[in-house]
C-alpha cells in the first residue's frame, strides 16, 4: 500500500455560513482538477458536513477560521477540517457513519477533524494526475511590453483605470 501523500490542496475561510458554500465549490473544483469526479458527491457531502459543524458552533460576532484540506494519501482521499476554536468538544459528526474518521487536537487551541474516502476501484494515489495549466500571460503584461521605456506602467494602468470609470454623461458640461 502506498502511504505517501501524492497531492494536497487547502483553503482557509472565516467560519461563517458562506464557508459551507465555498467548501462545496473548493472540493468540486479540486476533484475535477485531480480527475476524481466520481468521488465528488460523497466528498462534498462529507466536507460540507464537517465545515457546517464548525460554523454552527462558532461565534458569529467573532468568528474564527476554518481550513479545509484535501489530500491523496495511499489509496484514500483524506478530508481534513481544522478550526481554531477552543470551545468545541472533540467529536466527529454522526452524519459520517460508515466513513473512517478521527479527531486530532494539535498543541494550543483548535482541532482537526478528518475522514477518509477510498479512491475509486482500482485507483491508487500515483494514478491521480497533477493538474495541467497552460502558461497564460495577463493582458496588462502584454500591454506593458508595448510601452516606451520612459513610461511608467503603473501610471499608465492608473490612467487607463480612471478613464474606464469616467461617466460618459459628464462630457456635456
Amino acid at each position: 500500500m502506498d502511504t505517501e501523500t501524492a497531492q494536497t490542496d487547502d483553503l482557509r475561510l472565516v467560519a461563517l455560513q458562506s464557508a459551507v458554500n465555498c467548501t462545496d465549490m473548493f472540493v468540486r473544483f479540486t476533484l475535477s482538477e485531480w480527475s476524481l469526479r466520481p468521488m465528488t458527491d460523497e466528498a462534498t457531502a462529507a466536507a460540507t458536513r464537517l465545515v457546517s459543524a464548525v460554523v454552527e458552533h462558532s461565534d458569529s460576532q467573532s468568528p474564527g477560521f476554518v481550513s479545509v484540506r484535501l489530500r491523496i494519501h495511499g489509496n484514500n482521499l483524506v478530508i481534513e477540517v481544522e478550526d481554531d476554536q477552543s470551545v468545541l468538544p472533540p467529536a466527529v459528526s454522526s452524519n459520517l457513519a460508515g466513513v473512517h474518521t478521527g479527531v486530532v487536537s494539535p498543541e494550543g487551541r483548535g482541532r482537526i477533524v478528518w475522514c477518509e474516502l477510498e479512491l475509486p476501484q482500482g485507483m491508487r494515489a500515483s494514478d491521480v494526475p497533477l493538474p495541467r495549466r497552460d502558461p497564460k500571460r495577463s493582458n496588462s503584461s502584454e500591454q506593458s511590453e508595448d510601452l516606451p521605456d520612459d513610461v511608467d506602467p503603473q501610471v499608465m494602468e492608473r490612467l487607463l483605470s480612471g478613464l474606464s470609470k469616467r461617466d460618459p454623461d459628464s462630457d456635456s458640461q
Side-chain angles (χ1 to χ4, degrees), residues 19-127:
V20 177
N21 291 337
C22 291
T23 297
D24 182 275
M25 290 187 292
F26 168 70
V27 172
R28 289 180 186 282
F29 176 79
T30 303
L31 294 184
S32 174
E33 287 283 296
W34 291 351
S35 300
L36 291 174
R37 285 189 180 101
M39 300 185 72
T40 301
D41 291 338
E42 185 180 15
T44 54
T48 56
R49 284 184 192 128
L50 294 174
V51 170
S52 290
V54 172
V55 170
E56 287 173 14
H57 292 92
S58 113
D59 178 5
S60 63
Q61 300 302 315
S62 178
F65 289 99
V66 59
S67 296
V68 181
R69 187 174 306 107
L70 300 177
R71 292 188 299 123
I72 302 295
H73 183 78
N75 296 327
N76 297 300
L77 170 67
V78 180
I79 302 169
E80 298 174 345
V81 174
E82 182 175 358
D83 65 65
D84 60 0
Q85 300 178 32
S86 60
V87 295
L88 292 176
V92 178
S93 174
S94 60
N95 295 334
L96 297 174
V99 176
H100 188 208
T101 60
V103 178
V104 176
S105 296
E107 298 290 324
R109 49 185 279 183
R111 66 184 178 153
I112 301 172
V113 179
W114 56 268
C115 70
E116 289 183 347
L117 304 174
E118 277 190 49
L119 292 176
Q121 186 67 28
M123 191 172 219
R124 297 180 323 269
S126 59
D127 298 331

